[in-house]
Amino acid sequence: MYTGKTEQPCCLCGDPDTTTRLDLPPRAVQLLKNSGPIAWRDIVGEVSIHFCASDWGLVRELVLDMGLNPLSRCNAARASLDIREDFEALLNDVRDEPDQTDLEARMQRESRRVIREFDEDELSEQRDLVEAKIRLWSFEELGVAAV
């Protein structure tokens, strides 16, 4: 029986003991390694990737110090996501292709706000900044217009 998204192992090394999760727009799954068979338009909600403590340190360095998007190194098979067909099987109902427009627009706005306010917001964490940069770089790399 379908039970929804679950915590997955580290998307880089496969370690089941993860410490950090990033939520990405469905379209970003195209940037992950081994993502060919996944129809991103059929993903419902965000895609979550998880990192173990040591790989999280590497990801932080890649993003914050080197300005690189690490998604091409992450394995799509280790991402956590919901596919429309899973819902259809659970509900015995056919659903329309999900409209990702609102989710993508919200993620873009939220990411720009996090980057803009990071230095002034004492509650911001580096994880938030890393997630925001990866989201915006992914939209840019995939040719999604800024909202």
Side-chain angles (χ1 to χ4, degrees):
M1 179 176 177
Y2 173 72
T3 58
K5 287 184 4 180
T6 59
E7 185 169 326
Q8 296 292 94
C10 177
C11 67
L12 291 173
C13 70
D15 185 343
D17 187 23
T18 60
T19 60
T20 306
R21 183 188 90 210
L22 298 181
D23 293 326
L24 306 171
R27 188 184 304 252
V29 80
Q30 299 171 92
L31 301 175
L32 302 176
K33 185 171 45 175
N34 302 318
S35 65
I38 301 172
W40 72 267
R41 285 185 167 87
D42 282 338
I43 296 173
V44 178
E46 66 271 336
V47 174
S48 298
I49 55 175
H50 304 263
F51 298 97
C52 65
S54 63
D55 283 343
W56 174 243
L58 172 65
V59 168
R60 247 188 7 253
E61 284 180 34
L62 284 171
V63 172
L64 300 178
D65 297 339
M66 302 172 82
L68 297 173
N69 189 342
L71 292 186
S72 65
R73 295 165 180 86
C74 299
N75 191 339
R78 297 182 182 134
S80 180
L81 50 94
D82 290 327
I83 302 288
R84 174 176 54 136
E85 284 83 3
D86 293 336
F87 281 104
E88 291 173 349
L90 175 66
L91 302 173
N92 198 20
D93 183 27
V94 176
R95 293 191 163 193
D96 293 331
E97 182 177 283
D99 181 4
Q100 313 287 2
T101 309
D102 291 339
L103 174 65
E104 289 183 348
R106 179 183 55 79
M107 285 186 164
Q108 283 187 33
R109 285 190 306 271
E110 180 183 313
S111 296
R112 281 195 298 275
R113 180 195 57 75
V114 166
I115 292 170
R116 185 177 57 249
E117 298 174 0
F118 182 75
D119 291 329
E120 293 87 36
D121 186 357
E122 59 190 44
L123 297 177
S124 288
E125 296 180 12
Q126 277 191 338
R127 188 211 72 82
D128 299 327
L129 183 60
V130 169
E131 180 179 68
K133 287 183 178 224
I134 289 173
R135 284 176 177 177
L136 292 179
W137 291 340
S138 297
F139 282 127
E140 184 179 318
E141 190 173 334
L142 292 166
V144 177
V147 182

Coordinates of all heavy atoms in Angstrom, one line a residue, residues 35-92:
S35 N 17.9 10.4 -13.6 CA 16.5 10.8 -13.5 C 15.8 10.6 -14.8 O 14.6 10.9 -14.9 CB 16.5 12.3 -13.2 OG 17.1 13.1 -14.3
G36 N 16.4 10.0 -15.8 CA 15.8 9.8 -17.1 C 14.4 9.2 -17.1 O 13.5 9.7 -17.7
P37 N 14.1 8.1 -16.3 CA 12.8 7.5 -16.4 C 11.7 8.3 -15.6 O 10.6 7.9 -15.6 CB 13.0 6.1 -15.8 CG 14.4 6.1 -15.2 CD 15.1 7.3 -15.6
I38 N 12.1 9.3 -14.9 CA 11.1 10.0 -14.0 C 10.5 11.2 -14.8 O 11.1 12.1 -15.3 CB 11.8 10.6 -12.7 CG1 12.4 9.5 -11.9 CG2 10.7 11.4 -11.9 CD1 13.2 9.9 -10.8
A39 N 9.1 11.1 -14.9 CA 8.4 12.2 -15.6 C 8.1 13.3 -14.6 O 7.2 13.2 -13.8 CB 7.1 11.7 -16.2
W40 N 8.9 14.4 -14.6 CA 8.8 15.4 -13.6 C 7.5 16.0 -13.6 O 7.0 16.5 -12.5 CB 9.9 16.4 -13.7 CG 9.8 17.4 -14.9 CD1 10.3 17.2 -16.1 CD2 9.1 18.6 -14.9 NE1 10.0 18.2 -17.0 CE2 9.2 19.1 -16.2 CE3 8.3 19.3 -14.0 CZ2 8.6 20.3 -16.6 CZ3 7.7 20.5 -14.4 CH2 7.8 21.0 -15.7
R41 N 6.8 16.1 -14.7 CA 5.4 16.7 -14.7 C 4.4 15.9 -13.9 O 3.3 16.4 -13.6 CB 5.0 16.9 -16.1 CG 5.7 18.0 -16.8 CD 5.1 18.2 -18.2 NE 5.6 19.5 -18.8 CZ 6.7 19.6 -19.5 NH1 7.5 18.6 -19.7 NH2 7.0 20.8 -20.0
D42 N 4.7 14.6 -13.6 CA 3.8 13.8 -12.9 C 4.1 13.8 -11.4 O 3.4 13.1 -10.6 CB 3.8 12.3 -13.4 CG 3.0 12.2 -14.6 OD1 2.1 13.0 -14.9 OD2 3.3 11.2 -15.4
I43 N 5.1 14.5 -11.0 CA 5.4 14.6 -9.5 C 4.5 15.5 -8.9 O 4.1 16.6 -9.3 CB 6.9 15.1 -9.3 CG1 7.9 14.1 -9.9 CG2 7.2 15.4 -7.9 CD1 9.3 14.6 -9.9
V44 N 3.9 15.1 -7.7 CA 3.0 15.9 -6.9 C 3.8 16.5 -5.7 O 4.3 15.8 -4.9 CB 1.8 15.0 -6.4 CG1 0.9 15.8 -5.6 CG2 1.1 14.4 -7.6
G45 N 3.8 17.8 -5.7 CA 4.6 18.4 -4.6 C 6.1 18.5 -4.8 O 6.5 18.2 -5.9
E46 N 6.8 18.8 -3.8 CA 8.2 19.0 -3.9 C 9.0 17.7 -3.9 O 8.5 16.6 -3.5 CB 8.8 19.9 -2.9 CG 8.7 19.4 -1.5 CD 7.5 19.7 -0.7 OE1 6.8 20.7 -1.1 OE2 7.1 18.9 0.2
V47 N 10.2 17.7 -4.4 CA 11.1 16.6 -4.4 C 12.1 16.8 -3.2 O 12.7 17.9 -3.1 CB 11.9 16.5 -5.7 CG1 13.0 15.4 -5.6 CG2 11.0 16.3 -6.8
S48 N 12.3 15.9 -2.3 CA 13.2 16.0 -1.2 C 14.4 15.1 -1.4 O 14.3 14.0 -1.8 CB 12.5 15.6 0.1 OG 11.4 16.4 0.4
I49 N 15.6 15.7 -1.1 CA 16.8 15.0 -1.1 C 17.4 15.1 0.2 O 17.3 16.1 0.9 CB 17.8 15.4 -2.3 CG1 18.1 16.9 -2.2 CG2 17.2 15.0 -3.6 CD1 19.1 17.4 -3.2
H50 N 18.1 14.1 0.7 CA 18.7 14.0 2.0 C 20.2 13.8 1.9 O 20.7 13.2 0.9 CB 18.1 12.8 2.8 CG 16.6 12.9 2.8 ND1 15.9 13.4 3.9 CD2 15.7 12.5 1.9 CE1 14.6 13.3 3.6 NE2 14.4 12.8 2.4
F51 N 20.9 14.3 2.9 CA 22.4 14.2 3.0 C 22.8 13.7 4.3 O 22.3 14.1 5.4 CB 23.0 15.6 2.7 CG 22.7 16.2 1.4 CD1 21.7 17.1 1.2 CD2 23.4 15.8 0.3 CE1 21.4 17.6 0.0 CE2 23.1 16.3 -1.0 CZ 22.1 17.2 -1.1
C52 N 23.9 12.9 4.3 CA 24.5 12.5 5.6 C 25.4 13.7 6.1 O 25.6 14.7 5.3 CB 25.4 11.3 5.4 SG 26.8 11.5 4.3
A53 N 25.9 13.6 7.3 CA 26.6 14.8 7.8 C 27.8 15.1 7.0 O 28.1 16.3 6.7 CB 27.0 14.4 9.3
S54 N 28.6 14.1 6.6 CA 29.8 14.4 5.9 C 29.5 15.0 4.5 O 30.2 15.9 4.0 CB 30.8 13.2 5.8 OG 30.1 12.2 5.1
D55 N 28.6 14.4 3.8 CA 28.2 15.0 2.5 C 27.5 16.3 2.6 O 27.7 17.1 1.6 CB 27.3 14.0 1.7 CG 28.1 12.8 1.2 OD1 29.4 12.9 1.1 OD2 27.5 11.8 0.8
W56 N 26.8 16.6 3.7 CA 26.2 17.9 3.8 C 27.3 19.0 3.9 O 27.2 20.1 3.3 CB 25.3 18.0 5.0 CG 24.8 19.4 5.3 CD1 25.1 20.2 6.3 CD2 24.0 20.1 4.4 NE1 24.5 21.4 6.2 CE2 23.8 21.4 5.0 CE3 23.4 19.9 3.2 CZ2 23.1 22.4 4.4 CZ3 22.7 20.9 2.6 CH2 22.5 22.1 3.2
G57 N 28.4 18.7 4.5 CA 29.6 19.6 4.6 C 30.1 19.9 3.2 O 30.4 21.0 2.9
L58 N 30.2 18.9 2.4 CA 30.6 19.0 1.0 C 29.7 19.9 0.2 O 30.1 20.8 -0.5 CB 30.8 17.7 0.3 CG 31.1 17.7 -1.2 CD1 32.4 18.3 -1.5 CD2 31.0 16.2 -1.7
V59 N 28.4 19.6 0.3 CA 27.3 20.4 -0.4 C 27.4 21.8 0.0 O 27.3 22.7 -0.8 CB 25.9 19.8 -0.1 CG1 24.8 20.7 -0.6 CG2 25.8 18.4 -0.8
R60 N 27.5 22.1 1.3 CA 27.6 23.5 1.8 C 28.8 24.2 1.2 O 28.7 25.3 0.7 CB 27.8 23.5 3.3 CG 26.6 24.1 4.0 CD 26.8 24.3 5.5 NE 28.1 24.0 6.1 CZ 28.4 23.0 6.8 NH1 27.5 22.0 7.1 NH2 29.7 22.9 7.3
E61 N 29.9 23.5 1.1 CA 31.1 24.1 0.5 C 30.9 24.4 -1.0 O 31.3 25.4 -1.5 CB 32.3 23.2 0.7 CG 32.9 23.2 2.0 CD 34.1 22.3 2.1 OE1 34.9 22.2 1.1 OE2 34.3 21.7 3.2
L62 N 30.4 23.4 -1.7 CA 30.1 23.6 -3.1 C 29.2 24.8 -3.4 O 29.5 25.6 -4.3 CB 29.5 22.3 -3.7 CG 30.4 21.1 -4.0 CD1 29.5 19.9 -4.3 CD2 31.4 21.4 -5.0
V63 N 28.2 24.9 -2.6 CA 27.2 26.0 -2.8 C 27.7 27.4 -2.3 O 27.8 28.3 -3.1 CB 25.8 25.7 -2.2 CG1 24.9 26.8 -2.3 CG2 25.2 24.4 -2.9
L64 N 28.1 27.4 -1.1 CA 28.5 28.7 -0.5 C 29.9 29.2 -0.8 O 30.1 30.4 -1.0 CB 28.3 28.6 1.1 CG 26.9 28.2 1.6 CD1 26.9 28.1 3.1 CD2 25.9 29.3 1.1
D65 N 30.8 28.3 -1.0 CA 32.2 28.7 -1.2 C 32.6 28.7 -2.7 O 33.3 29.6 -3.2 CB 33.2 27.8 -0.5 CG 33.0 27.9 1.0 OD1 32.5 28.9 1.5 OD2 33.5 27.0 1.7
M66 N 32.0 27.8 -3.4 CA 32.4 27.6 -4.8 C 31.3 28.1 -5.8 O 31.6 28.2 -7.0 CB 32.8 26.2 -5.1 CG 34.0 25.7 -4.2 SD 34.3 24.0 -4.4 CE 35.3 24.0 -5.8
G67 N 30.1 28.3 -5.4 CA 29.0 28.7 -6.2 C 28.6 27.6 -7.2 O 28.2 28.0 -8.4
L68 N 28.6 26.4 -6.8 CA 28.3 25.3 -7.7 C 27.0 24.6 -7.3 O 26.8 24.4 -6.1 CB 29.4 24.3 -7.8 CG 30.7 24.7 -8.3 CD1 31.8 23.7 -8.2 CD2 30.6 25.1 -9.8
N69 N 26.2 24.2 -8.3 CA 25.0 23.4 -8.0 C 25.3 21.9 -7.9 O 25.8 21.4 -8.9 CB 24.0 23.7 -9.1 CG 22.6 23.1 -8.8 OD1 22.5 22.2 -7.9 ND2 21.6 23.5 -9.5
P70 N 25.1 21.3 -6.8 CA 25.5 19.9 -6.6 C 24.5 18.9 -7.1 O 24.8 17.7 -7.0 CB 25.6 19.8 -5.1 CG 24.6 20.7 -4.6 CD 24.6 21.9 -5.5
L71 N 23.4 19.3 -7.7 CA 22.4 18.3 -8.0 C 22.8 17.2 -9.0 O 22.3 16.1 -9.0 CB 21.1 19.0 -8.6 CG 20.4 19.9 -7.5 CD1 19.1 20.4 -8.1 CD2 20.1 19.1 -6.3
S72 N 23.7 17.6 -9.9 CA 24.1 16.6 -10.9 C 24.9 15.4 -10.3 O 25.0 14.3 -10.9 CB 25.0 17.2 -12.0 OG 26.2 17.6 -11.4
R73 N 25.3 15.6 -9.0 CA 26.0 14.5 -8.3 C 25.0 13.7 -7.5 O 25.4 12.6 -6.9 CB 27.1 15.1 -7.4 CG 28.2 15.8 -8.2 CD 29.0 16.7 -7.3 NE 30.1 17.3 -8.0 CZ 30.0 18.5 -8.6 NH1 28.8 19.1 -8.7 NH2 31.0 19.0 -9.2
C74 N 23.8 14.1 -7.3 CA 22.8 13.5 -6.5 C 22.0 12.4 -7.3 O 21.6 12.7 -8.4 CB 21.8 14.5 -5.9 SG 22.6 15.7 -4.9
N75 N 21.8 11.3 -6.7 CA 21.1 10.2 -7.4 C 19.6 10.3 -7.2 O 19.1 10.3 -6.1 CB 21.6 8.9 -6.8 CG 21.1 7.7 -7.6 OD1 20.2 7.7 -8.3 ND2 21.8 6.6 -7.4
A76 N 18.9 10.4 -8.3 CA 17.4 10.5 -8.3 C 16.7 9.3 -7.7 O 15.7 9.5 -7.1 CB 16.9 10.7 -9.7
A77 N 17.4 8.2 -7.7 CA 16.8 7.0 -7.1 C 16.7 7.1 -5.6 O 16.0 6.4 -4.9 CB 17.6 5.7 -7.5
R78 N 17.5 8.0 -5.0 CA 17.5 8.2 -3.6 C 16.7 9.5 -3.2 O 16.7 9.9 -2.0 CB 18.9 8.4 -3.1 CG 19.7 7.1 -3.3 CD 21.1 7.2 -2.7 NE 21.9 6.0 -3.0 CZ 23.1 6.0 -3.5 NH1 23.7 7.2 -3.7 NH2 23.7 4.9 -3.7
A79 N 16.0 10.1 -4.1 CA 15.1 11.2 -3.8 C 13.8 10.8 -3.3 O 13.3 9.7 -3.6 CB 14.9 12.1 -5.0
S80 N 13.1 11.6 -2.5 CA 11.8 11.3 -2.0 C 10.8 12.2 -2.7 O 10.9 13.4 -2.7 CB 11.8 11.6 -0.5 OG 10.5 11.3 0.1
L81 N 9.8 11.5 -3.4 CA 8.9 12.2 -4.2 C 7.6 11.4 -4.3 O 7.6 10.2 -4.1 CB 9.4 12.6 -5.5 CG 10.1 11.5 -6.4 CD1 9.1 10.8 -7.3 CD2 11.3 12.0 -7.1
D82 N 6.5 12.1 -4.6 CA 5.2 11.5 -4.8 C 4.9 11.6 -6.3 O 5.0 12.7 -6.9 CB 4.1 12.2 -4.0 CG 4.2 11.9 -2.5 OD1 4.7 10.9 -2.2 OD2 3.9 12.8 -1.8
I83 N 4.5 10.5 -6.9 CA 4.1 10.4 -8.3 C 2.6 10.3 -8.4 O 2.0 9.6 -7.7 CB 4.8 9.2 -9.0 CG1 6.3 9.3 -8.9 CG2 4.4 9.1 -10.5 CD1 7.0 10.4 -9.7
R84 N 2.1 11.0 -9.4 CA 0.6 11.1 -9.6 C 0.0 9.7 -9.7 O -1.0 9.4 -9.1 CB 0.3 11.8 -10.9 CG -1.1 11.8 -11.3 CD -1.4 12.7 -12.5 NE -0.5 12.4 -13.6 CZ -1.0 12.3 -14.8 NH1 -2.2 12.5 -15.1 NH2 -0.1 12.0 -15.8
E85 N 0.7 8.7 -10.3 CA 0.2 7.4 -10.5 C 0.0 6.7 -9.2 O -0.9 5.8 -9.0 CB 1.0 6.5 -11.4 CG 0.9 6.9 -12.9 CD 1.7 8.1 -13.3 OE1 2.5 8.6 -12.5 OE2 1.6 8.5 -14.5
D86 N 0.9 7.0 -8.2 CA 0.8 6.4 -6.9 C -0.6 6.9 -6.2 O -1.2 6.1 -5.6 CB 1.9 6.8 -6.0 CG 3.2 6.2 -6.5 OD1 3.2 5.2 -7.2 OD2 4.3 6.8 -6.2
F87 N -0.9 8.1 -6.4 CA -2.2 8.6 -5.8 C -3.3 8.0 -6.5 O -4.3 7.6 -5.9 CB -2.3 10.1 -6.0 CG -1.5 10.9 -5.0 CD1 -0.3 11.5 -5.3 CD2 -2.0 11.0 -3.7 CE1 0.4 12.2 -4.4 CE2 -1.2 11.8 -2.7 CZ -0.1 12.4 -3.1
E88 N -3.2 7.8 -7.8 CA -4.3 7.2 -8.6 C -4.5 5.7 -8.1 O -5.6 5.3 -8.0 CB -4.0 7.2 -10.1 CG -4.0 8.6 -10.7 CD -3.6 8.7 -12.1 OE1 -3.0 7.7 -12.6 OE2 -3.8 9.8 -12.7
A89 N -3.4 5.0 -7.9 CA -3.5 3.6 -7.4 C -4.2 3.6 -6.0 O -5.0 2.7 -5.8 CB -2.2 3.0 -7.4
L90 N -3.8 4.5 -5.2 CA -4.4 4.6 -3.8 C -5.8 4.9 -3.8 O -6.6 4.3 -3.1 CB -3.6 5.6 -3.0 CG -4.1 5.8 -1.6 CD1 -3.9 4.5 -0.7 CD2 -3.4 6.9 -0.9
L91 N -6.2 5.9 -4.6 CA -7.6 6.4 -4.6 C -8.5 5.8 -5.7 O -9.7 6.1 -5.7 CB -7.5 7.9 -4.8 CG -6.7 8.7 -3.8 CD1 -6.6 10.2 -4.2 CD2 -7.3 8.6 -2.4
N92 N -7.9 4.9 -6.5 CA -8.6 4.3 -7.6 C -9.3 5.4 -8.5 O -10.5 5.4 -8.7 CB -9.6 3.3 -7.1 CG -10.1 2.4 -8.2 OD1 -9.4 2.3 -9.2 ND2 -11.3 1.8 -8.0

